Amino acid sequence: MSHSPAIGVLALQGAFEIHAKRLAELGATTTLVRKPGQLGALDALVIPGGESTTFLKHLEHAGFYDALDAFVHAKPVFGTCAGCILLAKEVTNPPQRSFGVLDIDVERNAYGRQNDSAILTSETSLPGGPLEMVFIRAPRITRVGPSVEILATRDGNPTLIRQGRLLAATFHPELTEDTRVHQLFLNIVREVSSSL
Ligand code: GLN
């Protein structure tokens, strides 16, 4: 595509500012999304980390849940941590509503109190060597469907996955200097846009 992609970052709550900064540094035009009416102008969306229950509460207003549901079923979306939870097919600990577009099951707050925040470096299939991952009260992906590609893991559990135009991480890639994960999302957005 000739213009830089217009990428929204859902800005109802949580870690949205740094995502927008990272994407802008990589050449995207970013918009902080606070109203459902903003979604129509976007090529793609990031749903950041935060608290998925609080996101759901905010989304109950003004038809936002339904507008976002339609968006995540049609366009490239990158969900990190709480965002990954919102995209999953099934959520446990406790069960809660989700868009169900990503063929994975997740367990919220899965690492227990002692390990609930951690910085780990692990192998990844992304070019460029091991990936540093910042986990904050992270979920665990407990099942992946056949169309899901696993790009990084933590103790054998997937932490970075791709399903076609959808990307999800159980960690916070915006909190490290490594831009490979955001770059991958931009590449996905460009691929999708150029195939339209
Ligand atoms: N524990 C949060 C939840 O269950 C996710 C944490 C995060 O996004 N860093 O929604």
Side-chain angles (χ1 to χ4, degrees):
M1 75 204 274
S2 50
H3 67 288
S4 70
I7 303 191
V9 182
L10 192 63
L12 297 175
Q13 191 252 339
F16 51 85
E17 294 277 4
I18 315 178
H19 276 293
K21 188 165 171 271
R22 287 276 179 276
L23 291 164
E25 283 163 3
L26 294 171
T29 304
T30 60
T31 309
L32 297 181
V33 177
R34 296 197 166 91
K35 300 212 164 84
Q38 291 174 272
L39 293 171
L42 300 173
D43 295 310
L45 184 72
V46 175
I47 306 180
E51 198 57 47
S52 54
T53 46
T54 311
F55 275 114
L56 286 170
K57 260 183 222 145
H58 287 296
L59 289 171
E60 296 305 332
H61 300 290
F64 212 153
Y65 189 93
D66 291 343
L68 200 53
D69 192 39
F71 192 96
V72 302
H73 281 87
K75 297 268 181 89
V77 178
F78 178 23
T80 64
C81 211
C84 172
I85 295 170
L86 291 177
L87 295 174
K89 188 143 278 175
E90 198 165 301
V91 180
T92 56
N93 194 32
Q96 69 185 25
R97 193 179 186 197
S98 58
F99 296 119
V101 67
L102 200 51
D103 191 12
I104 61 169
D105 296 344
V106 298
E107 179 192 356
R108 295 179 59 207
N109 302 317
Y111 292 95
R113 277 224 189 127
Q114 294 192 332
N115 291 312
D116 80 354
S117 296
I119 302 177
L120 302 174
T121 301
S122 185
E123 289 305 318
T124 174
S125 59
L126 297 181
L131 185 66
E132 190 179 45
M133 298 182 275
V134 180
F135 295 93
I136 305 170
R137 302 191 71 222
R140 186 192 338 248
I141 296 173
T142 55
R143 182 194 66 83
V144 295
S147 56
V148 173
E149 196 185 339
I150 298 169
L151 305 174
T153 55
R154 169 181 181 176
D155 303 330
N157 296 113
T159 54
L160 178 65
I161 54 158
R162 177 180 178 178
Q163 179 189 305
R165 63 188 163 73
L166 303 172
L167 185 67
T170 60
F171 58 96
H172 283 255
E174 78 284 5
L175 294 181
T176 60
E177 295 302 314
D178 190 332
T179 56
R180 282 180 289 167
V181 179
H182 287 93
Q183 186 61 61
L184 171 63
F185 185 55
L186 277 180
N187 295 348
I188 293 171
V189 175
R190 291 203 170 98
E191 262 171 46
V192 169
S193 303
S194 62
S195 69
L196 292 178

